[in-house]
Amino acid sequence: MNEILRMSMNEMAEADFDCSCGRHHSLPIKKIAIGKGVINQLPEVAAAFKGKQVYMISDNNTWKAAGEKANRMMTEAGFEIKNYIFERGKEILIPDELAIGRMLLEMPLDTALIVSVGSGTLNDMAKYLSSRTGVPYIIVCTAPSMDGYVADGAPLICNGQKISYVATLAYGVVGDTDIMKAAPMHMIHAGLGDVLGKLTALTDWSLAVAMIHEYRCDTCVKLVEEALQKCITNAPLLKERNEEAILYLIEALTLTGVTMAIVGVSRPASGSEHLLSHYWEMDFIARHKYPELHGIKVGIATPIVAEIYELLKDDLPAETKALVPRREFVEKLLRSAGAMISPKEVGIERELFYRSLMEANTVRKRYSVFQYAKDQGRLEEVAEIITERIYGK
């Protein structure tokens, strides 16, 4: 029972066990390689496809970071590679109809394996393409920036709206800390923000259990909490690109993806903080503005959600009350790594901020502290208090 609690990150591939939560869990990912120098294991991870057509996707930044080396290693090992490199300047790559369509158009008919070299956007597009074509994919991680490397959802932009499509899990994950510690610091901050979001995500999950009797797997909760604690302890070292801190960060991000995969829902990793992030992003896209990185917005949203919980603390169920993180604690962790903490720093105006607090519960059908505050008749009060604290009267 729960042998996954005794496994290392790399041993979790193809985990299959009966859990104390009463369910049987399995992780169909074939290979996980996280650690120093593991990009050298890429030909071994992809060995089942040797001699077959491989479609490698990157952008001009990730090509320099890891794509060129991955291409050379696989070519020398006997793989047939077709590369497609998205060219972009300073703008972020938007995973919309144009990008997805272009990626599909460039894909060889006899592709046996997709290899995506990148982080959030390139991973999401590859897993979507994989799910629609039936061709497995491997992700070569280039930044510890988000938790979707081993998740089966693909948040994409369609008709200006952010929609999380059901996609597929990766065949293999290769995360080399030598590569990821050299990622732009902004992306490392994004990873930290995404990890700290688990503080409020787990609190939301507890609230949903207490209020609407939602299913929860305590094994998954324990896995996330243990990984989260390592990141919290080492957060100040991220600004120095400390290798151990980077390893704990990518392990936590990967592990929360594993927990999502084995329980089949995103509860272990995503709560009210993600609802705010998605709301802000959809507003920016609708106004043709480039949104901030997902994890940066999640990091900013997490202390805000923590403050909502603090304001409602006296009325919360006892178990949930015990999990509530303090706003100042989360902000201190973000500051210790040099990350942003205010919505004003990413261009979120007062009107958008207030509206997001009032309407975040509409982003997706999921019980959250926003719904709880609304049901208690206190959402408007809470929104006004927090908006005035950040933006003034």
Side-chain angles (χ1 to χ4, degrees):
M1 296 285 281
N2 302 350
E3 58 262 36
I4 197 168
L5 293 173
R6 299 187 295 272
M7 294 179 182
S8 70
M9 183 75 261
N10 292 344
E11 290 172 335
M12 291 182 185
E14 297 190 291
D16 190 80
F17 63 101
D18 291 317
C19 184
S20 59
C21 75
R23 298 189 180 185
H24 183 85
H25 297 318
S26 60
L27 182 68
I29 295 173
K30 301 291 184 184
K31 305 282 184 179
I32 299 176
I34 304 290
K36 184 178 177 64
V38 296
I39 193 171
N40 295 313
Q41 297 178 28
L42 178 58
E44 179 185 341
V45 172
F49 305 92
K50 189 172 182 179
K52 299 178 181 179
Q53 178 67 61
V54 176
Y55 180 35
M56 188 173 291
I57 306 160
S58 61
D59 66 26
N60 48 304
N61 292 325
T62 65
W63 172 258
K64 293 176 184 175
E68 189 172 10
K69 182 173 183 178
N71 176 69
R72 182 177 67 254
M73 290 172 55
M74 293 191 74
T75 300
E76 290 174 353
F79 294 87
E80 184 178 344
I81 310 291
K82 157 69 186 292
N83 277 287
Y84 180 69
I85 303 171
F86 284 95
E87 292 292 336
R88 63 186 183 91
K90 294 181 179 180
E91 301 85 3
I92 65 171
L93 177 62
I94 301 293
D96 58 10
E97 300 93 330
L98 179 62
I100 296 290
R102 185 61 190 273
M103 186 174 63
L104 178 60
L105 287 171
E106 297 288 342
M107 182 176 178
L109 281 172
D110 58 345
T111 298
L113 175 70
I114 299 165
V115 175
S116 185
V117 183
S119 56
T121 296
L122 284 160
N123 181 58
D124 289 335
M125 294 199 302
K127 72 173 71 168
Y128 179 83
L129 183 64
S130 173
S131 70
R132 270 46 180 186
T133 61
V135 177
Y137 89 101
I138 291 171
I139 177 67
V140 178
C141 317
T142 56
S145 56
M146 53 91 224
D147 61 14
Y149 286 123
V150 293
D152 61 1
L156 305 172
I157 305 301
C158 182
N159 197 29
Q161 296 292 308
K162 185 165 188 176
I163 300 172
S164 187
Y165 292 92
V166 175
T168 190
L169 292 170
Y171 174 90
V173 180
V174 178
D176 192 325
T177 54
D178 285 335
I179 293 168
M180 289 185 286
K181 73 180 182 181
M185 184 55 66
H186 199 56
M187 299 187 81
I188 295 173
H189 289 161
L192 176 63
D194 211 359
V195 166
L196 294 182
K198 313 321 169 202
L199 290 166
T200 46
L202 293 180
T203 309
D204 259 13
W205 204 1
S206 170
L207 184 64
V209 170
M211 300 305 297
I212 62 171
H213 309 294
E214 192 171 306
Y215 158 75
R216 178 180 59 191
C217 173
D218 289 335
T219 300
C220 288
V221 171
K222 187 172 183 179
L223 284 169
V224 173
E225 286 177 339
E226 290 178 353
L228 180 56
Q229 189 54 53
K230 290 180 182 178
C231 282
I232 288 172
T233 301
N234 290 275
L237 299 177
L238 289 172
K239 63 178 179 291
E240 303 169 10
R241 301 181 184 275
N242 176 274
E243 188 160 329
E244 190 172 61
I246 295 292
L247 175 62
Y248 288 143
L249 179 58
I250 188 58
E251 282 190 342
L253 292 165
T254 306
L255 193 56
T256 52
V258 167
T259 59
M260 285 190 282
I262 65 176
V263 296
V265 295
S266 61
R267 275 293 191 188
S270 173
S272 295
E273 72 295 327
H274 277 66
L275 299 181
L276 279 181
S277 175
H278 293 329
Y279 191 100
W280 297 336
E281 183 166 355
M282 288 189 294
D283 180 89
F284 269 45
I285 291 169
R287 292 186 285 150
H288 306 289
K289 294 175 64 176
Y290 282 108
E292 184 49 87
L293 290 175
H294 166 77
I296 296 293
K297 299 193 300 294
V298 170
I300 289 170
T302 299
I304 292 165
V305 174
E307 185 173 5
I308 296 172
Y309 269 110
E310 288 182 54
L311 291 169
L312 300 172
K313 198 167 184 178
D314 290 342
D315 300 320
L316 291 172
E319 182 186 343
T320 303
K321 187 184 297 187
L323 293 176
V324 173
R326 293 180 61 249
R327 171 178 66 84
E328 292 85 355
F329 172 71
V330 183
E331 290 180 343
K332 183 179 179 181
L333 287 171
L334 290 165
R335 283 198 193 98
S336 74
M340 293 186 285
I341 64 169
S342 171
K344 294 190 289 186
E345 294 179 84
V346 293
I348 296 170
E349 306 92 345
R350 181 191 183 102
E351 186 277 331
L352 169 58
F353 180 79
Y354 179 79
R355 178 161 43 88
S356 69
L357 295 183
M358 293 298 295
E359 299 178 3
N361 66 303
T362 66
V363 170
R364 63 180 303 186
K365 191 176 181 180
R366 165 169 287 182
Y367 194 85
S368 69
V369 74
F370 289 112
Q371 189 62 49
Y372 180 81
K374 184 177 180 180
D375 292 344
Q376 297 290 314
R378 297 188 61 190
L379 182 58
E380 186 173 354
E381 168 203 344
V382 164
E384 289 175 354
I385 290 172
I386 298 175
T387 302
E388 287 186 7
R389 177 184 65 80
I390 295 173
Y391 293 88
K393 292 189 177 180

